[in-house]
Amino acid sequence: MARRERVMRMSVEQPLWRALAGYRVLTMLYAIGFFTTAWSGFARPWLAVAYYAVLFVWTLATLPKVSGAAGCTKGFLAADLTIALTGILLTPFADAHERVMDGGPTLPSIWTAGSVLAFAIKGGWRWAALASTLVAVANLVERGTPARDTVHNVILVWVASIAIGYVVEVARASERTLARALEIEAATRERERLARDIHDSVLQVLAMVQRRGAVIGGEAAELGRMAGEQEVALRTLVSGGLVPVSRVSEDAAEGAVVRAVEEPEEDAPHGPVDLRSLLAPYAGARVNLAEPGAPVPMAPLAARELAAAVGAALDNVRTHVGEDARAWILVEDEPDEVIVTVRDEGPGIPEGRLAEAEGEGRLGVALSIRGRLRDLGGTAELISVPGQGTEVELRAPKAPSTTMNTGTARGKADR
């Protein structure tokens, strides 16, 4: 079965870029609209018309540039800010002196804020501080004197742009942290899936070789001893820490990237499967299966994982109670979930035995049963009373979990 890599790209900045593109268009239209209502009061209206023609073409032509951080290069930001500053400095030459001194709007008006915001989104608060400072200087030069309204507008743009730049930096760091957490979770689930597969096959074979070798004796005993050593080493490896996680991409232009390995079900049925058909092979002289009369439909992967958990519970019965031990399987089809109960007539599990087994690297219950149900979005509850047997209740939702691990295998477990 071919493995494929699923790439998830996250970017909290993309909505900001889309909003900025809309802002630039609207403020460009606002500046031109204001000029058309007051053009008769301009000293040199032809100069303003020429500037607005450049502003109109530039704003529309550069929309792809402000659609994302990748296109918003340093050269573009410098040219964009230059157009804004040029419009501010041209205002005293195009507009009437009285309106300039009365605090009238500059030629680019509030379009200038879009240039500063582009600096903030692209480079954070430091870039925003640089751009807003240049705009502040241009406004002071245009007015010729630090009037109260000019200083107020300068401080407002300066504080707002720096604040937005800082928020973008915080959001970018949070995005990378979330991406690392998701990748660690994906690596953990993949390791648990591999651990289940190893436990369900290799460890069981090694344990059987060790037992049979001790019974046969001779060279087989030595082979059994070596198999036992390998079993211990492999259990230690399986129950160890997390596998190393690759670094998450910190490319601010495209957002953080999370890569998760998936194994597609190439041979899986396209529709739901009947859980009863997967549990039927477990029924026999020593195992009684009680099931509904109607089909119990489940997603193929969920049904196989649930059946594998049932198989792991039955293997526990054979291993720890005996080959001739009796067991009962009860299947309940509820509206939102499927409940499968496995019960035996053994001596029960001593208190603390499961934790002790997990510490020894025997992760049958932890991985082959509880791990499978957790990946399905369900639960596995183990109830045991000394002298009265053990009951394992498996609850799996009918709706597949979005975080369900894609690895599958029929399982065996040990306590």
Side-chain angles (χ1 to χ4, degrees), residues 48-287:
V49 170
Y51 176 78
Y52 285 127
V54 173
L55 185 67
F56 180 82
V57 173
W58 174 261
T59 302
L60 297 183
T62 57
L63 282 179
K65 288 286 188 179
V66 293
S67 62
C72 196
T73 61
K74 292 181 179 179
F76 165 74
L77 290 175
D80 196 60
L81 186 62
T82 299
I83 289 180
L85 298 178
T86 301
I88 295 173
L89 297 177
L90 282 177
T91 302
F93 300 96
D95 204 354
H97 178 72
E98 295 78 10
R99 187 155 50 195
V100 172
M101 297 308 296
D102 289 341
T106 60
L107 291 181
S109 185
I110 56 177
W111 185 90
T112 304
S115 297
V116 178
L117 291 176
F119 273 82
I121 300 174
K122 175 69 175 182
W125 70 270
R126 293 175 180 83
W127 287 29
L130 172 63
S132 58
T133 299
L134 294 176
V135 170
V137 171
N139 275 282
L140 292 175
V141 171
E142 179 260 344
R143 188 70 176 273
T145 177
R148 177 179 297 179
D149 55 348
T150 303
V151 173
H152 173 77
N153 293 333
V154 164
I155 293 178
L156 181 62
V157 172
W158 196 71
V159 172
S161 60
I162 291 179
I164 293 175
Y166 179 75
V167 169
V168 169
E169 288 188 1
V170 172
R172 194 176 290 152
S174 301
E175 177 184 79
R176 291 195 293 266
T177 301
L178 176 60
R180 290 193 183 98
L182 292 175
E183 191 164 86
I184 290 173
E185 181 185 14
T188 302
R189 290 183 178 277
E190 177 66 7
R191 181 183 179 89
E192 289 183 354
R193 185 191 67 80
L194 294 175
R196 284 199 298 264
D197 291 345
I198 292 172
H199 176 272
D200 295 342
S201 55
V202 180
L203 289 178
Q204 296 292 334
V205 172
L206 291 175
M208 182 183 68
V209 171
Q210 181 185 19
R211 291 194 299 269
R212 296 295 296 170
V215 173
I216 297 174
E219 294 184 357
E222 177 63 18
L223 181 61
R225 183 189 64 80
M226 295 173 61
E229 293 177 353
Q230 294 303 312
E231 181 194 6
V232 172
L234 190 54
R235 287 188 186 277
T236 302
L237 177 64
V238 168
S239 60
L242 293 176
V243 294
V245 179
S246 59
R247 286 182 60 84
V248 176
S249 169
E250 297 185 6
D251 184 5
E254 298 295 339
V257 174
V258 180
R259 292 179 172 85
V261 175
E262 290 184 335
E263 294 191 9
E265 297 182 88
E266 296 176 353
D267 57 347
H270 294 291
V273 300
D274 187 358
L275 178 65
R276 302 180 306 168
S277 64
L278 299 181
L279 297 180
Y282 295 129
R286 298 290 177 181
V287 178

Side-chain angles (χ1 to χ4, degrees), residues 305-367:
E305 288 290 85
L306 181 55
V310 172
L314 292 175
D315 283 325
N316 262 345
V317 175
R318 286 190 290 270
T319 301
H320 300 284
V321 182
E323 292 291 337
D324 297 330
R326 294 186 60 83
W328 292 263
I329 304 175
L330 173 63
V331 181
E332 300 174 80
D333 187 8
E334 301 293 338
D336 298 326
E337 64 180 356
V338 176
I339 305 173
V340 181
T341 304
V342 180
R343 183 171 60 86
D344 64 52
E345 58 180 6
I349 304 174
E351 185 177 356
R353 174 55 187 153
L354 289 178
E356 179 183 347
E358 187 171 345
E360 295 172 354
R362 300 181 177 274
L363 304 176
V365 173
L367 293 181

